[in-house]
Amino acid sequence: MDDSLNKFDRIIAILIQLQSKKIVRAQDLADRFNVSLRTIYRDVRTLEASGVPIYSEAGIGYSLMDGYRLPPIMFTREEASSFIAAEKLMQKFTDAALDKHYKSAMYKLKAVLKNSDKDWLDTIESKVIMQSNQKLFNENAPNALTLFFESIAERKQTLLLYQTFDTEEINERIIEPVGIFHQNNFWYVLGYCHLRKDYRQFRTDRIQQIKKTDLDFTIEHKTLEELLHKEKSIHSLIKVRILVNKKIARYLNWERKQYGFVSEKNIGNQVEMTFMCFDIKESFPRWYLMFADHADILEPDELKDRVLELLELNTNRLLQKKQSQT
């Protein structure tokens, strides 16, 4: 009985996945459901026998005949609850246009719920708030993510007016956006910059203006993951070791991965962390200062000097400001 029920649930899930993607590989289905390829083949034959028009091609995958759709499938209460978290995250982390589209999609999702589940969802929704003081997008380019998505999908170049971190000058850039990623609480786009003749990262809150052009891409780009890995590998990595109080160290578990974390070991009431870092001039020392009163730098001396330099710069600014007010 349990095996039949599991098979039924799996077959329905396979059908939903076929409806959600243009092509689905058998191996991807096998990996998702932790079953053999032979089991997937049998499940697909079961769907075909029930009248679902599935097109398959060896070495490529499965796809549904164009135009075939089932009526909306009912969501479980638990699945519906997950929409609330997604909706709140969308409000915090996406631009205005994407948030608007997601709200529209949420209305459609809620429309297929049972009345009791709608009440359940409304109760949870009013009890969840996402607070953020992070400025992810410039007010002059509030729909940057939406336009980047369109440019990437249509392979069209994008025109940017961009302000770099260390200058007030605004430069015009024409880029071929390859992909978008979220890091250190900011959205970045990585793209081929025609001005620099190389790949560059652009932070969305520094984009003063954005416009999708009619110009096609001129380059066949590698994947975002490959380009990000290549970008990190071209920098010479520097070994960093720090000692952090155990009570504080546990709160760094997620963030540390972004700074090249390699390993850790316990030493009394402290944790020694080792990093292979490619930026000890700006990124790492500024992150370290967030918890510096509970940590020590073991190596390298260059990092110690940079942290002292940042502290001195900040101390001088505070003193000057204080003196000007007296």
Side-chain angles (χ1 to χ4, degrees), residues 5-165:
L5 192 59
N6 289 336
K7 179 179 179 181
F8 176 78
D9 291 342
R10 187 175 62 247
I11 289 175
I12 293 299
I14 289 173
L15 179 56
I16 293 173
Q17 189 159 339
L18 285 169
Q19 289 188 97
S20 67
K21 297 185 70 175
K22 187 175 181 179
I23 297 175
V24 179
R25 295 172 60 247
Q27 187 61 59
D28 292 339
L29 292 171
D31 292 341
R32 175 185 174 186
F33 300 108
N34 195 28
V35 296
S36 66
L37 282 172
R38 181 177 297 181
T39 298
I40 295 299
Y41 298 152
R42 284 200 301 265
D43 290 346
V44 170
R45 285 198 295 269
T46 299
L47 284 171
E48 290 174 326
S50 66
V52 178
I54 299 176
Y55 174 79
S56 61
E57 187 171 343
I60 297 180
Y62 299 112
S63 61
L64 289 177
M65 183 179 293
D66 194 30
Y68 177 81
R69 285 292 183 271
L70 286 178
I73 295 174
M74 297 301 292
F75 297 98
T76 66
R77 178 174 289 185
E78 292 74 21
E79 289 170 337
S81 298
S82 71
F83 300 153
I84 296 300
E87 184 175 25
K88 299 300 181 180
L89 288 171
M90 288 289 288
Q91 293 171 0
K92 177 180 178 180
F93 288 111
T94 61
D95 65 23
L98 282 180
D99 183 45
K100 179 181 178 181
H101 296 323
Y102 189 81
K103 286 179 179 176
S104 176
M106 281 295 296
Y107 285 124
K108 295 177 182 178
L109 289 171
K110 292 176 182 177
V112 303
L113 297 176
K114 294 182 295 185
N115 287 335
S116 59
D117 289 341
K118 290 177 184 177
D119 293 338
W120 168 281
L121 215 61
D122 288 340
T123 301
I124 297 175
E125 190 170 19
S126 64
K127 302 297 189 296
V128 179
I129 298 176
M130 293 292 292
Q131 296 181 328
S132 174
N133 56 2
Q134 195 77 36
K135 183 179 178 182
L136 298 177
F137 306 97
N138 187 282
E139 60 183 10
N140 296 320
N143 298 328
L145 281 187
T146 303
L147 289 176
F148 280 132
F149 284 172
E150 293 176 2
S151 295
I152 292 170
E154 299 171 12
R155 294 179 55 80
K156 295 293 185 181
Q157 297 180 30
T158 306
L159 173 65
L160 304 180
L161 294 183
Y162 189 74
Q163 184 174 22
T164 58
F165 174 74

Side-chain angles (χ1 to χ4, degrees), residues 130-295:
M130 293 292 292
Q131 296 181 328
S132 174
N133 56 2
Q134 195 77 36
K135 183 179 178 182
L136 298 177
F137 306 97
N138 187 282
E139 60 183 10
N140 296 320
N143 298 328
L145 281 187
T146 303
L147 289 176
F148 280 132
F149 284 172
E150 293 176 2
S151 295
I152 292 170
E154 299 171 12
R155 294 179 55 80
K156 295 293 185 181
Q157 297 180 30
T158 306
L159 173 65
L160 304 180
L161 294 183
Y162 189 74
Q163 184 174 22
T164 58
F165 174 74
D166 55 353
T167 178
E168 294 186 0
E169 183 181 355
I170 297 176
N171 295 316
E172 182 176 289
R173 306 288 186 94
I174 294 180
I175 71 169
E176 298 182 15
V178 177
I180 298 167
F181 61 98
H182 189 268
Q183 180 174 290
N184 299 334
N185 295 322
F186 289 101
W187 281 108
Y188 293 82
V189 60
L190 187 143
Y192 182 83
C193 176
H194 284 272
L195 177 64
R196 304 302 184 197
K197 305 300 181 185
D198 200 359
Y199 291 96
R200 291 288 189 272
Q201 294 180 15
F202 300 90
R203 213 171 83 177
T204 54
D205 63 311
R206 296 179 189 155
I207 297 174
Q208 306 297 311
Q209 189 174 329
I210 179 172
K211 180 181 179 182
K212 186 178 66 176
T213 74
D214 293 325
L215 301 173
D216 294 326
F217 281 10
T218 60
I219 299 173
E220 190 64 35
H221 304 287
K222 293 183 179 179
T223 66
L224 174 63
E225 187 175 0
E226 289 175 318
L227 290 171
L228 286 175
H229 179 74
K230 178 182 178 182
E231 186 175 81
K232 288 184 178 180
S233 65
I234 62 177
H235 296 276
S236 56
L237 297 178
I238 301 173
K239 184 179 180 180
V240 172
R241 289 192 306 126
I242 61 175
L243 273 177
V244 186
N245 184 286
K246 274 187 179 180
K247 293 182 179 179
I248 302 300
R250 60 182 177 176
Y251 298 110
L252 306 178
N253 286 345
W254 183 81
E255 287 188 337
R256 67 188 188 182
K257 296 178 182 179
Q258 304 173 29
Y259 299 94
F261 173 77
V262 176
S263 63
E264 69 176 6
K265 62 180 179 181
N266 293 324
I267 302 178
N269 64 346
Q270 294 182 304
V271 178
E272 180 183 318
M273 297 184 186
T274 300
F275 299 80
M276 293 304 295
C277 183
F278 67 90
D279 179 14
I280 62 170
K281 186 69 175 176
E282 299 296 339
S283 179
F284 193 94
R286 294 180 187 280
W287 176 64
Y288 174 82
L289 283 171
M290 294 174 60
F291 54 89
D293 53 332
H294 298 279

